[in-house]
Amino acid sequence: MANAINWFEIPATNLSRAKTFYTKVFSSEMAEQEIQGIQMAFFNAADNGVSGALCVGEGYEPSTKGTIPYLNGGDDL
């Protein structure tokens, strides 16, 4: 197993705003797609790397009780 985690989903209420934030943090574009009624914007991953998506839709509600991803934005963040 290359990584202990292989996917993550970050709930959002405004996909455009969340996508703009993460695009600036990681200096990387995010592709969008709707899958089974869920709006998603996908993080880019290197070969065999961990990836995930921003998700807006039923069952996805940002809260302080959900998963907390820790992201390394680099020294200049």
Side-chain angles (χ1 to χ4, degrees):
M1 173 172 57
N3 298 298
I5 299 171
N6 63 354
W7 182 258
F8 59 90
E9 294 178 345
I10 300 175
T13 54
N14 182 320
L15 188 62
S16 178
R17 185 179 69 195
K19 182 179 167 185
T20 297
F21 172 78
Y22 285 103
T23 296
K24 287 181 182 178
V25 167
F26 293 114
S27 298
S28 179
E29 293 299 316
M30 300 176 77
E32 289 186 41
Q33 185 175 355
E34 185 173 318
I35 300 175
Q36 297 180 342
I38 307 297
Q39 296 175 326
M40 304 176 92
F42 299 95
F43 290 92
N44 293 320
D47 293 335
N48 297 319
V50 175
S51 188
L54 301 171
C55 300
V56 175
E58 187 175 342
Y60 289 96
E61 183 178 332
S63 75
T64 59
K65 298 177 184 176
T67 302
I68 302 172
Y70 291 90
L71 307 172
N72 181 357
D75 295 335
D76 63 339
L77 179 60

